[in-house]
Amino acid sequence: MSKEKVLVTGAAGFIGAAVAVEMQSLGYDVYTVDNLSTGYESHVPEGVVFFKGDVQDEKVIAQLKSIPFKAIFHIAGQSSGEISFDNPVYDLQTNTQSTLLLLKLAMEIGCRKFIYASTMSVYGDQPDEPVGEDIYSTPKSFYAVGKLASEHYLKIYSGYGIDCIALRLFNVYGPGQNMKNLRQGMVSIFLSQAIDDKKINVRGSLDRFRDMVYIDDIVSSFIKAFQIQLKGYHFYNVCTGKKTTVRNVLDSITKGLAYEIQVEVKDDTPGDIFGIYGANEKIKNELEWKPQVDFETGLSRMIKWATEQNNK
């Protein structure tokens, strides 16, 4: 008997690869589309059927029309607020046009489950208090605008019988993150600089803060979203509910490495949010998800992994 099939876009990247592995462990055949712009073909998990190309390319998506996917996990896309200012049109295509094409595909093949990797960036600047899903969104970057637009498209398509869940991911970190991309991922950027140069260049105030979520907890949120039986459209914060400042991150990296690290503070990053951390009561109550890994534990695992990779 053949296995049920799922599509996990972006499985050459950090989150996509981790979700693909977990879905394989649950007994599913996994397919992916990835253009390798930030990921690596060697990172695509063994056994995953790989289509190389852009998720916003109709010709690429057309190759998937004969596959009866049980669910689509849309994780691929440009994922940096800063980079979105370089080419807003490309950002719109990779994050929003791709979502429309995949929703259309879901309708055509009868796929009734669509799970989307959204972002906390949709909230923009907010008061210094836990941000809940009911807060009015004021995105500051082209990236955040595109993600929020995609959420609205999910809501529309849910009216056509596709059960859609948007997961608003807060700051993800952990083993497997791309350490060479120095414009995406606060923890990976700082840790990469510390290991390679023994110097960290910080753009913006050390008092800025984020809600840091470990990769294993992120993966479990996707699995919970896949397994839950919810009709229509729903969206959730995937966060710890705890504030971690840039200063906290720097101190923890310095303590975790066996040498002195120099820190230099520079100007702000375009479109950057000063501080945000989330409220997670909704996802706890409705998806029965809660974070399991605290920041110190997660960072120590990441430092161990990164130093081992550097010594290979």
Side-chain angles (χ1 to χ4, degrees):
M1 184 176 177
S2 62
K3 297 179 181 179
E4 291 185 304
K5 298 170 174 57
V6 297
L7 175 65
V8 180
T9 68
F14 178 36
I15 300 173
V19 171
V21 167
E22 189 63 22
M23 290 304 294
Q24 285 180 315
S25 74
L26 292 175
Y28 292 90
D29 280 338
V30 179
Y31 292 66
T32 194
V33 177
D34 200 301
N35 64 5
L36 306 181
S37 60
T38 57
Y40 301 91
E41 188 168 354
S42 60
H43 289 181
V44 177
E46 184 177 353
V48 171
V49 181
F50 174 46
F51 291 83
K52 182 179 178 181
D54 294 319
V55 280
Q56 68 269 25
D57 187 335
E58 293 187 56
K59 293 180 181 178
V60 173
I61 301 304
Q63 298 177 63
L64 307 174
K65 290 184 178 180
S66 63
I67 306 168
F69 293 121
K70 180 180 178 64
I72 294 174
F73 296 80
H74 186 20
I75 301 172
Q78 195 293 111
S79 56
S80 164
E82 179 186 0
I83 292 174
S84 72
F85 285 86
D86 295 347
N87 191 340
V89 173
Y90 173 77
D91 187 85
L92 181 71
Q93 292 169 336
T94 187
N95 282 320
T96 311
Q97 180 174 309
S98 64
T99 305
L100 275 170
L101 290 176
L102 289 167
L103 285 165
K104 181 182 177 184
L105 172 69
M107 283 194 64
E108 292 175 347
I109 65 175
C111 176
R112 293 292 175 248
K113 191 84 173 186
F114 196 103
I115 302 163
Y116 182 62
S118 189
T119 173
M120 58 82 186
S121 297
V122 300
Y123 292 118
D125 287 322
Q126 298 292 341
D128 185 357
E129 58 189 38
V131 175
E133 288 88 346
D134 58 344
I135 295 295
Y136 183 74
S137 297
T138 55
K140 291 182 65 178
S141 66
F142 296 108
Y143 164 68
V145 169
K147 286 290 189 179
L148 187 58
S150 287
E151 289 190 14
H152 289 298
Y153 286 125
L154 262 63
K155 185 175 181 180
I156 291 172
Y157 272 83
S158 70
Y160 301 147
I162 303 173
D163 299 326
C164 298
I165 293 179
L167 297 175
R168 292 178 173 176
L169 309 182
F170 280 64
N171 285 67
V172 189
Y173 72 100
Q177 197 160 16
N178 188 343
M179 300 287 286
K180 295 181 180 179
N181 186 349
L182 298 184
R183 300 180 72 189
Q184 180 180 328
M186 180 186 292
V187 176
S188 59
I189 292 171
F190 291 168
L191 183 56
S192 178
Q193 291 178 341
I195 292 173
D196 292 344
D197 306 323
K198 296 183 173 57
K199 178 181 178 180
I200 300 175
N201 293 310
V202 181
R203 299 185 67 181
S205 168
L206 300 186
D207 295 322
R208 287 177 298 129
F209 54 88
R210 295 290 185 270
D211 191 319
M212 300 293 181
V213 193
Y214 190 65
I215 181 61
D216 291 2
D217 288 328
I218 292 292
V219 172
S220 70
S221 72
F222 279 95
I223 302 306
K224 291 282 190 181
F226 169 71
Q227 294 174 334
I228 196 75
Q229 299 298 316
L230 286 176
K231 295 297 181 183
Y233 168 66
H234 302 268
F235 57 101
Y236 300 95
N237 288 341
V238 183
C239 60
T240 66
K242 297 180 180 179
K243 181 194 301 186
T244 302
T245 67
V246 173
R247 197 183 306 276
N248 295 150
V249 175
L250 296 171
D251 288 346
S252 296
I253 289 175
T254 302
K255 291 175 184 176
L257 295 172
Y259 40 81
E260 185 176 343
I261 307 297
Q262 181 183 352
V263 175
E264 182 176 336
V265 180
K266 299 184 177 181
D267 293 336
D268 293 346
T269 300
D272 196 24
I273 298 169
F274 183 85
I276 188 168
Y277 64 114
N280 56 18
E281 287 78 10
K282 184 180 179 184
I283 193 171
K284 285 181 177 178
N285 293 333
E286 296 184 17
L287 298 192
E288 297 183 354
W289 174 94
K290 62 180 180 180
Q292 302 294 325
V293 182
D294 64 78
F295 181 66
E296 293 300 328
T297 301
L299 183 60
S300 66
R301 293 177 186 174
M302 187 176 181
I303 290 174
K304 182 176 184 296
W305 165 79
T307 51
E308 288 173 353
Q309 293 293 310
N310 192 61
N311 292 330
K312 286 183 178 180

